[in-house]
Amino acid sequence: MRINKYLARCGIGSRRNCEIFVTEGKVKVNGHIVTDLATDIKESDIVLLNGERVSPAEEHIYLMLNKPKGFVCTTNDEFGRKTVLQLLAPEYTSRRIFPVGRLDYDTEGLLLLTTDGDLSNRITHPHNEVPKTYIAKVEGEVTEAELGKLRGGVILDGVKTKKCKARLKNLENNISSVEVVITEGRNRQVRRMFDSINREVIFLKRTAIGQLKLGGLYRGMSRKLTDEEVEYLKLV
Ligand code: URA
């Protein structure tokens, strides 16, 4: 990276101001004063401005993963199970990246991972009520009356779930696919909501978080969020 860009990334000033520091001889690289604006800086270089070490703030990483079942959403599992971090490239796992919230071991779908703790807190904070969309499959035909119970709220651990959306998307081979949109993140919430109406979830996948959609991302694959997606998440 060019020296002026590097210094600007360190939060010292605009690139133009940083050029002036360089030409005035205020910048040392690996012990030598550098005045050539064409100097490139490597990550391993030691850069001083007026004798003080400066280093650029690292950019945060924001990823979307299509989590397969059979992986835990922790950075380290006490039972030795595979973690979602094992699905990421080493360039990401060499940083302090972590999942935003959790999906169960048996649940698949959209999982965000980031190094940005503030953003993660905002998305998972119950106050912000970010809607999360799931497809739950259950055996047999789910009735409107059952969906109505889910929508109105069911009692889990003595506390009613918030109103939510629930609609039958598809009925094929005697399996109902129900789309559920919840704004809470209680433990195994969707599975337990169905348990409460005596329906066992046999497949569960998260397809969206707010306006962010999993789309056609292959199972086990991840991608960086676009700048627009990151901006959107910062506003939720
Ligand atoms: N609800 C569940 O039951 N499981 C999940 O992983 C997410 C929501």
Side-chain angles (χ1 to χ4, degrees), residues 207-224:
T207 55
I209 296 178
Q211 292 171 17
L212 239 71
K213 294 200 171 58
L214 187 60
L217 189 64
Y218 287 123
R219 196 179 274 136
M221 302 302 281
S222 57
R223 70 163 175 85
K224 278 189 172 178

Side-chain angles (χ1 to χ4, degrees), residues 67 73 102-108 132 134 182 184-193 201 204-206:
K67 175 197 175 298
C73 289
R102 300 254 184 281
L103 287 177
D104 300 336
Y105 186 71
D106 286 330
T107 302
E108 47 182 271
K132 279 146 266 167
Y134 295 86
I182 57 173
E184 304 170 279
R186 292 165 63 179
N187 187 33
R188 297 178 72 80
Q189 180 161 342
V190 176
R191 291 177 195 275
R192 292 196 298 145
M193 284 169 70
V201 171
L204 186 61
K205 177 176 184 173
R206 181 156 67 192

Side-chain angles (χ1 to χ4, degrees), residues 20-199:
I20 296 169
F21 292 140
V22 175
T23 50
E24 285 178 345
K26 291 182 175 163
V27 178
K28 273 188 183 173
V29 179
N30 302 330
H32 303 286
I33 290 178
V34 164
T35 52
D36 182 357
L37 292 172
T39 306
D40 278 321
I41 304 296
K42 298 189 296 299
E43 214 177 299
S44 56
D45 288 338
I46 294 176
V47 181
L48 308 183
L49 171 71
N50 292 327
E52 299 238 353
R53 176 95 191 255
V54 291
S55 50
E58 276 194 291
E59 283 181 16
H60 280 303
I61 302 171
Y62 303 95
L63 300 179
M64 169 189 293
L65 169 74
N66 184 351
K67 175 197 175 298
K69 62 191 235 184
F71 288 80
V72 287
C73 289
T74 46
T75 46
N76 201 328
D77 185 53
E78 54 177 324
F79 304 111
R81 292 175 298 180
K82 289 178 283 185
T83 76
V84 288
L85 294 192
Q86 289 171 266
L87 295 162
L88 304 182
E91 64 180 292
Y92 300 128
T93 49
S94 60
R95 302 270 307 274
R96 279 170 54 84
I97 192 163
F98 50 86
V100 177
R102 300 254 184 281
L103 287 177
D104 300 336
Y105 186 71
D106 286 330
T107 302
E108 47 182 271
L110 201 172
L111 183 72
L112 298 175
L113 297 114
T114 185
T115 52
D116 184 343
D118 289 339
L119 185 103
S120 175
N121 288 339
R122 247 196 327 276
I123 297 169
T124 52
H125 198 289
H127 240 95
N128 292 330
E129 301 197 346
V130 180
K132 279 146 266 167
T133 307
Y134 295 86
I135 297 291
K137 292 192 181 179
V138 299
E139 278 180 23
E141 181 172 355
V142 173
T143 64
E144 252 317 296
E146 288 172 315
L147 293 175
K149 284 188 191 162
L150 297 179
R151 286 184 202 119
V154 296
I155 307 289
L156 301 181
D157 303 326
V159 181
K160 203 170 180 187
T161 57
K162 293 214 170 104
K163 285 195 171 43
C164 72
K165 293 183 185 162
R167 68 180 179 109
L168 181 62
K169 264 201 99 174
N170 187 27
L171 176 66
E172 215 177 287
N173 300 327
N174 204 35
I175 304 277
S176 299
S177 293
V178 181
E179 186 181 78
V180 183
V181 184
I182 57 173
T183 52
E184 304 170 279
R186 292 165 63 179
N187 187 33
R188 297 178 72 80
Q189 180 161 342
V190 176
R191 291 177 195 275
R192 292 196 298 145
M193 284 169 70
F194 277 89
D195 285 348
S196 79
I197 57 163
N198 298 315
R199 294 281 191 179

